[in-house]
Amino acid sequence: MRAALWGIGALILAVIAATCAEPLAPRATLEGVGDTLGRGTPMRVTATDRGSGLAQVEVRLVPAGGGEPLVLARQDFPRRGPFGSGVHEATLTPSLGAGIPVPEGKARLEVHATDHSWLSALRPSSRLSRDVI
């Protein structure tokens, strides 16, 4: 009887660990961006996570000479329960609008995606980057 209870307890812990401490980081894809980026350039960012769900997706433009990154789009997905947000795919369509001060010259377009996994604190956020002008 004791062995059965220990076995059931171990199974429950294994299920919780597999869902809350997933080793797989979220993935991101970037569509519609070539070597140059300007006002009105259509961009489409899709982030996916198979386990606990997305926590945050952010699109930044980082000037090549350094300086403050320009956040083009950001979406947060709060935890809705013990197993994460439940959001496994999100699509953002950032653009460079008229009111955004965009530096000219070389820059790096970055997409950062994080999830609600217990292991997300131990690994860097999933990052996709592309050099643009």
Side-chain angles (χ1 to χ4, degrees):
M1 177 74 166
R2 251 185 205 186
L5 288 176
W6 279 104
I8 291 171
L11 180 64
I12 289 171
L13 286 176
V15 168
I16 290 173
T19 56
C20 295
E22 60 174 306
L24 303 172
R27 302 185 74 127
T29 60
L30 179 63
E31 299 172 19
V33 176
D35 292 336
T36 59
L37 184 66
R39 298 193 195 286
T41 301
M43 289 182 271
R44 181 180 169 103
V45 175
T46 303
T48 57
D49 184 65
R50 298 188 323 183
S52 60
L54 294 166
Q56 182 184 79
V57 180
E58 184 175 81
V59 182
R60 303 178 199 167
L61 187 63
V62 181
E68 191 70 24
L70 177 64
V71 177
L72 301 179
R74 177 183 171 143
Q75 190 166 5
D76 295 320
F77 304 98
R79 183 181 292 274
R80 291 193 175 158
F83 298 113
S85 66
V87 177
H88 298 287
E89 183 173 329
T91 301
L92 282 73
T93 54
S95 64
L96 299 173
I100 300 175
V102 179
E104 292 187 23
K106 294 182 180 183
R108 187 174 61 249
L109 186 66
E110 296 180 345
V111 178
H112 293 265
T114 58
D115 63 4
H116 286 286
S117 168
W118 290 349
L119 295 178
S120 66
L122 301 175
R123 65 175 181 247
S125 66
S126 177
R127 188 175 93 181
L128 171 70
S129 66
R130 179 171 293 166
D131 291 329
V132 294
I133 296 175

